[in-house]
Amino acid sequence: MLRAFCRLRSGLTICNNKDSHRAFSTTITNFSEQQQHGEKPKQMLTENERQILDPMIRVDQSGEVGAYYIYMGQIAVLGRDKKLRPILQEMWDQEKHHLETFDKLVGDMRVRPSLLRPLWEVAGFAVGAGTALMGKEAAMACTEAVETVIGNHYDDQLRSLVQLTEKNPELKDLGKTIAQFRDEELEHHDIAVEHDARQAPFHSALKAVIMQGCKTAIWVAERV
């Protein structure tokens, strides 16, 4: 399983580095274009906004890293299941988009990313593959648990953004993005339940452990 993770991850490292550079380059280009065309630069963030948004973007990027690698681990184990593969692939593709978006936001907003990204990658893959090895029901229970926490977490962030956008309307687009991603994560939750998540062995205990792990990861990622 570790060899499979290393092979899958090695193909992504170069892409991630290019994406980060591209995000930074895009920010500089956009600013230059604004100057050339006489456009008004975007409103600078206040210190209070920065204190709220920096950990918000950092933890969201970290969460999407974990979710991305959870689905990678599940597909590594269950990818040969012809009925389940398309379902997992669709959810994984959405997580790819979520991660790409937050990777770009980290660059655009000059947010320090989590120093523990390699840990989130390994942990995500291990949780995804580990629960998949317990059976497809356990894999779905994992998705149910993770998406429950992420959905609630995004709801909390949206409540904070409502207050911020009253003074800085330019943050409305960020709110729309998080609301869209929240809805997609909750859709993943519903798909997992429909595919027998609650039939997993020791479902309640498994769900509780994974949810607590996610909450702990959120607390750490906001700070480190």
Side-chain angles (χ1 to χ4, degrees):
M1 187 170 74
L2 181 59
R3 286 198 298 270
F5 169 75
C6 291
R7 286 198 301 271
L8 289 167
R9 186 182 185 279
S10 64
L12 298 169
T13 303
I14 295 177
C15 294
N16 286 337
N17 289 338
K18 288 182 177 178
D19 288 343
S20 298
H21 178 72
R22 190 179 298 117
F24 179 80
S25 299
T26 300
T27 304
I28 299 301
T29 301
N30 289 342
F31 182 74
S32 298
E33 290 175 351
Q34 287 175 343
Q35 289 183 317
Q36 291 173 2
H37 296 287
E39 297 177 9
K40 182 180 178 180
K42 290 187 176 181
Q43 180 176 334
M44 296 293 291
L45 296 176
T46 66
E47 183 63 27
N48 179 60
E49 289 170 341
R50 177 65 68 185
Q51 289 178 357
I52 295 172
L53 292 174
D54 277 14
M56 181 184 294
I57 299 301
R58 177 163 50 251
V59 73
D60 286 352
Q61 182 195 39
S62 300
E64 296 299 347
V65 167
Y68 177 91
Y69 279 91
I70 284 173
Y71 286 110
M72 179 190 289
Q74 290 180 346
I75 288 177
V77 176
L78 299 171
R80 293 183 181 180
D81 187 318
K82 293 182 179 180
K83 293 183 179 180
L84 198 58
R85 173 66 187 245
I87 298 169
L88 294 174
Q89 187 67 54
E90 181 180 358
M91 293 191 289
W92 192 26
D93 288 342
Q94 286 185 326
E95 298 299 348
K96 290 178 185 177
H97 172 61
H98 294 181
L99 180 54
E100 288 170 355
T101 300
F102 279 112
D103 280 346
K104 185 175 185 301
L105 282 170
V106 163
D108 288 351
M109 299 180 70
R110 305 291 198 274
V111 175
R112 176 185 63 76
S114 173
L115 302 176
L116 301 178
R117 179 165 180 155
L119 175 60
W120 309 139
E121 294 175 356
V122 173
F125 187 88
V127 169
T131 52
L133 287 170
M134 296 169 62
K136 64 183 182 68
E137 293 84 4
M140 291 293 106
C142 172
T143 297
E144 177 195 8
V146 170
E147 304 297 17
T148 297
V149 175
I150 292 178
N152 291 335
H153 179 65
Y154 278 152
D155 276 339
D156 291 340
Q157 291 187 340
L158 287 170
R159 282 188 283 270
S160 297
L161 282 170
V162 167
Q163 298 176 355
L164 292 181
T165 52
E166 292 177 356
K167 296 182 178 179
N168 187 350
E170 291 182 359
L171 295 175
K172 287 183 178 179
D173 285 343
L174 176 60
K176 291 178 181 178
T177 296
I178 291 179
Q180 176 191 337
F181 290 179
R182 185 267 322 269
D183 292 345
E184 290 173 353
E185 303 292 4
L186 292 179
E187 182 183 359
H188 297 175
H189 168 277
D190 294 343
I191 290 172
V193 172
E194 289 171 4
H195 287 81
D196 302 326
R198 292 172 183 172
Q199 303 303 315
F202 309 106
H203 169 264
S204 296
L206 179 63
K207 180 180 177 181
V209 169
I210 294 174
M211 287 182 65
Q212 186 57 52
C214 291
K215 293 175 182 178
T216 301
I218 287 172
W219 188 89
V220 173
E222 285 179 338
R223 294 161 174 78
V224 183

